[in-house]
Amino acid sequence: MKRKLVSVLVGISMVAALLTGCGSANGTTKTEDKGKDGYRVAYIARAQSDSFAAWLANEMMAAAEEYDDITLDVFDGQADDEKENAAIENAITSKYDAIIVQPNNGEAQRPYVEKIVAAGIVAITTNARIDGIEGASSVDADPYAQAAVNAQAALEQVPQNAKVVVLNGPSGNFHADERRKAWQAEFFDKRPDVEIVGEQIANWNKDEAVQYMEDWIISNNQIDAIISMNDNMAAGALEVVAGKEEFKDILSYGVDGTAEAMLLIEAGTMTSTCLQSAIDLAKLNLETVHKLLTGEEKQIDTDIDAPLINKENVADYVKMYKDRGLIQK
């Protein structure tokens, strides 16, 4: 297991290195230059420290290589609203043909995406979409459905009178808020016997989740389940209880379907996740931006699927990651 996990983290680190400026002096990663007659597209990534965001940035670059008339530049928002907004403004000033934004905080980025539209540049928001911006398109997943498939499974899996902890994404983030709503409606409202003994915003971040989980196991001698709005936070919480006999049967739920989560499910450590495929998101983003740039479509709002992954089907997804070189064969 340790050997395989190292290969996953190395893959993420390679993406992180790219996003911090390997390949150009201005802190971007570029696909191969497709020539003066092609389209220039800027992708503003949320953060390199988020394993899913790093995976998506890598897949966006791979997907762009399939288009002879698109050059993609990737910028790192560093999980900082000011830095992400500055990157958007710089892309507008640089007169890109299209700008795809992965928001750190949708409401903080909303006025800047509105500036993209006002400048006459093709605008797409992705992972998570920002609703209600006239003239902007979106490529996303349904975050309510992503959490609901886990919550519905947990109805039968979580024991009676269980004590659970909850790890949330950033407040105001569409995916974070909708996933928490799903857990409330699909699980907590139907299981009033379950007690939440700890709940915090960990901002999709593993290290923050570790800190909260360390506090929770000190103040609670019983925690039956970790309910997390993404895999990265769930993995952090699981690191804290690893090898502790009193938590050997703890359940854990996430969203994203990262390579690390696949290995945790395969090992029997994590219970389930919902795949938010960066591969599918990237392909759909490039397909969408190409249709908008060529005038084939004027407005596109579309979602990828939300399949549940557990011990019964995890082998298929481990193979997917092995085939893409993100898990060592």
Side-chain angles (χ1 to χ4, degrees), residues 253-303:
Y253 304 90
V255 172
D256 282 340
T258 62
E260 183 175 20
M262 298 304 97
L263 295 177
L264 290 170
I265 293 172
E266 185 181 54
T269 305
M270 191 168 176
T271 309
S272 66
T273 186
C274 175
L275 179 65
Q276 178 170 252
S277 173
I279 300 167
D280 293 344
L281 268 175
K283 288 180 178 178
L284 196 52
N285 265 294
L286 268 295
E287 178 184 316
T288 297
V289 77
H290 194 261
K291 288 180 178 179
L292 294 170
L293 286 168
T294 59
E296 184 178 340
E297 301 280 354
K298 299 297 184 184
Q299 173 80 32
I300 300 174
D301 296 288
T302 186
D303 287 337

Side-chain angles (χ1 to χ4, degrees), residues 79-90:
D80 183 298
D81 287 334
E82 289 188 7
K83 291 178 180 178
E84 179 152 355
N85 294 340
I88 295 171
E89 287 194 310
N90 288 338

Side-chain angles (χ1 to χ4, degrees), residues 137-263:
S137 294
S138 65
V139 177
D140 203 6
D142 181 342
Y144 189 99
Q146 290 173 330
V149 293
N150 279 297
Q152 290 157 5
L155 282 172
E156 301 298 324
Q157 295 167 343
V158 174
Q160 286 292 310
N161 302 313
K163 297 182 186 298
V164 306
V165 294
V166 180
L167 291 161
N168 293 314
S171 178
N173 179 281
F174 176 59
H175 277 215
D177 293 346
E178 287 298 304
R179 290 173 190 173
R180 184 61 182 85
K181 286 178 185 177
W183 270 101
Q184 189 63 45
E186 305 293 340
F187 180 77
F188 289 114
D189 289 350
K190 298 175 182 180
R191 289 289 307 273
D193 59 295
V194 174
E195 179 185 357
I196 299 174
V197 296
E199 180 165 8
Q200 290 288 350
I201 293 172
N203 295 304
W204 309 130
N205 188 278
K206 179 183 284 189
D207 291 339
E208 291 187 38
V210 166
Q211 293 172 8
Y212 289 128
M213 194 65 181
E214 286 174 343
D215 292 339
W216 289 333
I217 66 169
I218 291 171
S219 55
N220 298 278
N221 58 10
Q222 177 189 346
I223 299 176
D224 298 293
I226 299 162
I227 293 171
S228 177
M229 303 307 123
N230 83 338
D231 291 342
N232 208 34
M233 297 184 294
L238 285 169
E239 285 182 7
V240 175
V241 299
K244 292 179 169 58
E245 181 65 21
E246 63 270 36
F247 298 110
K248 65 181 177 63
D249 295 322
I250 197 168
L251 302 170
S252 180
Y253 304 90
V255 172
D256 282 340
T258 62
E260 183 175 20
M262 298 304 97
L263 295 177

Side-chain angles (χ1 to χ4, degrees), residues 14-22 27-29 45 47-48 53-54 57 74-76:
M14 289 173 65
V15 176
L18 287 170
L19 288 175
T20 50
C22 177
T28 70
T29 297
Q48 67 180 40
V74 181
F75 298 83
D76 180 18

Side-chain angles (χ1 to χ4, degrees), residues 7-27:
S7 70
V8 172
L9 297 175
V10 167
I12 292 169
S13 298
M14 289 173 65
V15 176
L18 287 170
L19 288 175
T20 50
C22 177
S24 75
N26 63 356

